Amino acid sequence: MKNQIIYFALAGILRIFLMNSDLHNIIRDRIEVSTALNSWKRITEGVYLYNIGVDPYIGDLFHETPLGLIIFDSIQKHFSFYGLWLLFVIIDLITAYLLGITAKYYIKELIAYDEKNTPYVDKVNIHQDFASITATHGASTFYVSAAYLYNPYVIFNCVGLTTTVFTNFLLSLTLLSMVKHSKIICCLCIAFLTLQGFYPICLIIPGAICIIQNVKTNEKPESLLKIFILFSTILISLFFTSYFVMGNWSFLQNTIGFTLLVPDLRPNVGLYWYFFTEMFEHFRSLFIASFQINVSILFVVPLALRLHKNPMLLAFSYLAIDTIFKSYPCIGDVGFYLSLLPLWRHLFRHMQQGFFVGCFILFCTIFAPTVWHQWIYSRSANANFYFGVSLAFAIAQIFLLTDILFANVKREFAVQHGIMNQANGNKAKLLLE
């Protein structure tokens, strides 16, 4: 416990140090960190317009929800400049703590599930191969928390004062409510996230599966229906509350509409900006629909059918897909789901592309600012170079997700059929073809 307090304190000090350094302004203005959806500059301008009686949703400046507008207005009124920095750091530390608690409960459930669903003769092998990396609850808690606290992507988003810090907090609270089977908190958090960015609506599926795990089989359909009704009620209530705050529905165009229609094509770490810049305008509606179906609908049902027994891995998959294919991603989104990787330590031995993916992500992280400088400042490159790095970054994330999902299939096979470490006296490795 004492060591964890030290690690949390060091992470907080590191963030505060960077905020007080010359790097703060550089990080804040990086396109990989700040986007049209999470920029604190836009928040400040939107709050100012609201306070002088101008609708902040007129034009293309402010894209937070009306509820977010009220919250951020209160923050700016009650927190000084340095108090604002401290608030962002504290929220980030709380997020890491919540993720650590989530890891603790999830690992307990994973071990209980293995013991319940593994043949008796294989339990010894299961414990020999997996107990050392899944049964250490404290270690798992520390690894997940540390992966968030010291992830450069997460640190940059906190130092850059982006609203992704608050989004990550809500996501961590969602995951914790899932493993704690808290129906109201889970539905409330997902509803808030959906109101802001739409894509997290898919998290209600793993959330509902988690909540009804302890319900009797004959009562599960009824419980599932109640959860979806509760979620729909909360979401509709939030929409109408937002309407009463603004007095009109103009916020829809600049929140969910902005996310789905992608009118802002400034570069970011995503794939939309370059594609829709180069595309003929009369094809825009077709490809907008194709892109959005890909990220929000296409993978939802197949993954839910395949991973319904492991809703946390299902939630992780949805988060990764949303981050890769969403319209305005930032590295803070990537950093959040990468921080969950220690949850799948028991799958690492079955993964085959870890080194490849790690090198690609490291290469893209270093090369993206270099190419951006060559394009914008030196003018010795063009948009194709930066998009090439963004595309490689997305491909690396796709390979990471598919590798984890295939590793999960291999582990399920090993658990059900016994783990064979040797074949003909030599070390063996399980491959899927």
Side-chain angles (χ1 to χ4, degrees), residues 34-39 42 56-65 194-199 249-268 272-273 276 284 288 292 325-329:
S34 294
T35 68
L37 290 179
N38 70 355
S39 171
R42 290 177 178 248
Y57 296 106
I58 295 177
D60 190 26
L61 173 69
F62 187 73
H63 305 293
E64 276 292 335
T65 64
T194 302
L195 184 67
Q196 197 277 332
F198 179 72
Y199 299 121
W249 295 102
S250 62
F251 69 92
L252 288 176
Q253 177 66 28
N254 269 350
T255 52
I256 293 179
F258 185 82
T259 300
L260 296 179
L261 299 178
V262 201
D264 191 327
L265 298 179
R266 272 170 285 194
N268 52 57
Y272 285 65
W273 66 272
F276 289 106
R284 182 180 176 84
I288 282 287
Q292 299 296 358
F325 297 111
K326 71 192 298 186
S327 50
Y328 298 101

Side-chain angles (χ1 to χ4, degrees), residues 11-85:
I13 293 172
L14 175 61
R15 284 162 168 78
I16 294 174
F17 171 78
L18 290 174
M19 287 176 175
N20 282 279
S21 69
D22 295 335
L23 294 174
H24 170 65
N25 291 331
I26 298 175
I27 294 173
R28 183 188 60 188
D29 295 332
R30 289 300 310 175
I31 61 171
E32 298 89 356
V33 175
S34 294
T35 68
L37 290 179
N38 70 355
S39 171
W40 189 253
K41 284 184 178 180
R42 290 177 178 248
I43 296 294
T44 303
E45 293 177 12
V47 168
Y48 175 76
L49 292 175
Y50 176 73
N51 286 328
I52 63 174
V54 177
D55 187 350
Y57 296 106
I58 295 177
D60 190 26
L61 173 69
F62 187 73
H63 305 293
E64 276 292 335
T65 64
L67 297 179
L69 177 65
I70 299 300
I71 293 171
F72 293 128
D73 180 33
S74 178
I75 289 175
Q76 292 193 359
K77 286 179 179 178
H78 295 91
F79 285 86
S80 64
F81 187 70
Y82 293 102
L84 182 65
W85 290 1

Side-chain angles (χ1 to χ4, degrees), residues 40-173:
W40 189 253
K41 284 184 178 180
R42 290 177 178 248
I43 296 294
T44 303
E45 293 177 12
V47 168
Y48 175 76
L49 292 175
Y50 176 73
N51 286 328
I52 63 174
V54 177
D55 187 350
Y57 296 106
I58 295 177
D60 190 26
L61 173 69
F62 187 73
H63 305 293
E64 276 292 335
T65 64
L67 297 179
L69 177 65
I70 299 300
I71 293 171
F72 293 128
D73 180 33
S74 178
I75 289 175
Q76 292 193 359
K77 286 179 179 178
H78 295 91
F79 285 86
S80 64
F81 187 70
Y82 293 102
L84 182 65
W85 290 1
L86 188 60
L87 175 65
F88 273 81
V89 172
I90 291 174
I91 293 295
D92 230 21
L93 298 183
I94 293 175
T95 301
Y97 179 72
L98 295 179
L99 289 178
I101 297 176
T102 301
K104 180 179 179 180
Y105 282 99
Y106 171 70
I107 295 302
K108 285 182 179 179
E109 289 189 358
L110 183 64
I111 294 174
Y113 179 84
D114 282 347
E115 291 179 344
K116 181 179 178 181
N117 294 276
T118 303
Y120 178 78
V121 294
D122 292 329
K123 287 188 190 296
V124 175
N125 291 329
I126 291 295
H127 281 286
Q128 286 178 348
D129 285 292
F130 294 109
S132 61
I133 55 179
T134 60
T136 53
H137 302 149
S140 299
T141 300
F142 166 74
Y143 287 135
V144 173
S145 296
Y148 186 86
L149 289 171
Y150 296 98
N151 189 316
Y153 294 164
V154 175
I155 293 174
F156 289 159
N157 263 261
C158 181
V159 174
L161 301 181
T162 65
T163 58
T164 303
V165 171
F166 299 96
T167 302
N168 288 347
F169 169 74
L170 286 176
L171 287 172
S172 66
L173 193 58

Side-chain angles (χ1 to χ4, degrees), residues 7 13 31 66 110 191 193 204 266 322 348 351 374 392 414 422:
Y7 290 125
I13 293 172
I31 61 171
L110 183 64
L193 291 166
I204 192 61
R266 272 170 285 194
D322 289 349
F348 287 175
M351 294 174 65
Q374 290 179 323
Q422 292 187 341

Side-chain angles (χ1 to χ4, degrees), residues 364-421:
C364 294
T365 302
I366 297 174
F367 207 55
T370 305
V371 174
W372 177 260
H373 180 83
Q374 290 179 323
W375 174 24
I376 301 300
Y377 299 102
S378 300
R379 301 197 178 183
S380 57
N382 55 39
N384 296 318
F385 287 72
Y386 191 81
F387 177 70
V389 176
S390 301
L391 184 61
F393 191 54
I395 292 173
Q397 295 177 74
I398 293 171
F399 271 84
L400 173 63
L401 178 60
T402 54
D403 201 19
I404 289 176
L405 294 179
F406 272 109
N408 182 63
V409 174
K410 296 173 187 177
R411 181 181 182 274
E412 287 181 353
F413 180 87
V415 168
Q416 293 298 321
H417 299 86
I419 301 170
M420 297 172 290
N421 290 324

